[in-house]
Amino acid sequence: MLLRKVIGAEVILGHKIFTRAKSSWDIVAGVCVERLPVITPPLNELQKKFKDFLWTVEIEKSLKSDHELRHENDKIQAELLKNESVDVDLDTVSKITAQDFEDSSSDELNQFKFADIVTEGDKKGIKSTPERCLQRHLVLVTHQKLGNDVKTILPQGLWKEGETLRQTAERILSEQCGTGLKVKFLSNAPCGFYKYKYPAEINGRLGAKVFFYYANYNDGEVDKKSKPNWLTRNELAELLPEKYNKTVQSFLIEETF
């Protein structure tokens, strides 16, 4: 009987603690949408040395390419043609030699013009488009109303009962950024956590616990009503609150330049 009373008391106490914890904080899902570099960033010294090492190994271990074999065969055929005592089937001699192909390819390469890595967004300072800073990672931030204030942070919204946090993150992104934005979520588990207190209790809630989900940008545009910006690591540090930025930077890959 005593054991039953003790167990019953623990169950009631646990239920009270769970209910209190559940009602004291808002559960929020945030989404970190990142556009990966479109162009390979500049290599640092260590990366350059490793690249040169791989190239050396490739040269040492590689076999001759089809073009090199064709070039050697053309030389053999040319020597045979010079020797009048040897009958050569002219049909087997290539009309376009490997050297001819190499020369025409070189001419075509010289006429090719590479696109400028500086986009119109870079020139005009437009941050609302992912078509900027092509060598850097960009993170999506939007305007969020927190109480009476409007903050520029990652897209976020309240969890609804019956949803998983991943489903909440997907719903929030669709509602706030529009269905035209195409992303790929990389996990069912959050990649980061942050909590903050409200200036005063709101409906009995002390504050919010934010669980961040990570997604890669694939295609599409963000709804302009959310006032989106695509920011670099440094721009995030300048704009986001210090503790909030520290949490976000903790699950982002550090850039080397």
Side-chain angles (χ1 to χ4, degrees), residues 58-73:
E58 176 70 19
I59 293 297
E60 291 176 351
K61 295 186 177 181
S62 64
L63 300 176
K64 291 182 179 179
S65 66
D66 290 344
H67 177 73
E68 289 172 316
L69 294 175
R70 178 182 171 187
H71 192 61
E72 290 180 356
N73 184 62

Side-chain angles (χ1 to χ4, degrees), residues 94-111:
S94 175
K95 295 180 180 179
I96 300 177
T97 65
Q99 188 62 50
D100 293 335
F101 176 77
E102 189 172 328
D103 293 339
S104 63
S105 297
S106 298
D107 292 339
E108 184 178 351
L109 177 61
N110 292 332
Q111 295 174 8

Side-chain angles (χ1 to χ4, degrees), residues 118-202:
V118 180
T119 66
E120 286 298 317
D122 293 320
K123 295 175 182 178
K124 297 179 180 179
I126 301 173
K127 297 180 179 180
S128 59
T129 173
E131 299 299 323
R132 61 183 293 263
C133 300
L134 300 182
Q135 290 183 309
R136 294 186 177 274
H137 296 77
L138 296 181
V139 175
L140 173 66
V141 295
T142 60
H143 280 198
Q144 297 286 324
K145 188 173 181 181
L146 301 178
N148 296 324
D149 297 331
V150 176
K151 301 289 186 181
T152 301
I153 56 176
L154 305 186
Q156 68 175 44
L158 291 173
W159 166 78
K160 290 182 179 179
E161 193 167 349
E163 290 182 330
T164 64
L165 281 174
R166 161 74 180 264
Q167 290 171 338
T168 301
E170 292 174 340
R171 173 178 57 80
I172 291 302
L173 196 63
S174 178
E175 291 176 353
Q176 296 184 6
C177 300
T179 56
L181 178 64
K182 307 300 180 185
V183 304
K184 180 180 180 181
F185 283 84
L186 299 190
S187 175
N188 290 323
C191 61
F193 171 77
Y194 179 79
K195 72 176 181 179
Y196 58 91
K197 287 187 176 182
Y198 298 143
E201 282 194 22
I202 301 176

Side-chain angles (χ1 to χ4, degrees), residues 229-246:
N229 279 315
W230 294 88
L231 305 181
T232 63
R233 300 283 191 270
N234 293 336
E235 291 168 344
L236 285 174
E238 294 174 358
L239 182 66
L240 299 180
E242 184 178 354
K243 290 184 179 180
Y244 185 90
N245 174 65
K246 186 176 180 181

Side-chain angles (χ1 to χ4, degrees), residues 207-223:
K209 294 183 177 181
V210 186
F211 296 86
F212 293 104
Y213 280 79
Y214 180 86
N216 284 149
Y217 169 80
N218 284 341
D219 194 16
E221 295 185 358
V222 182
D223 195 329

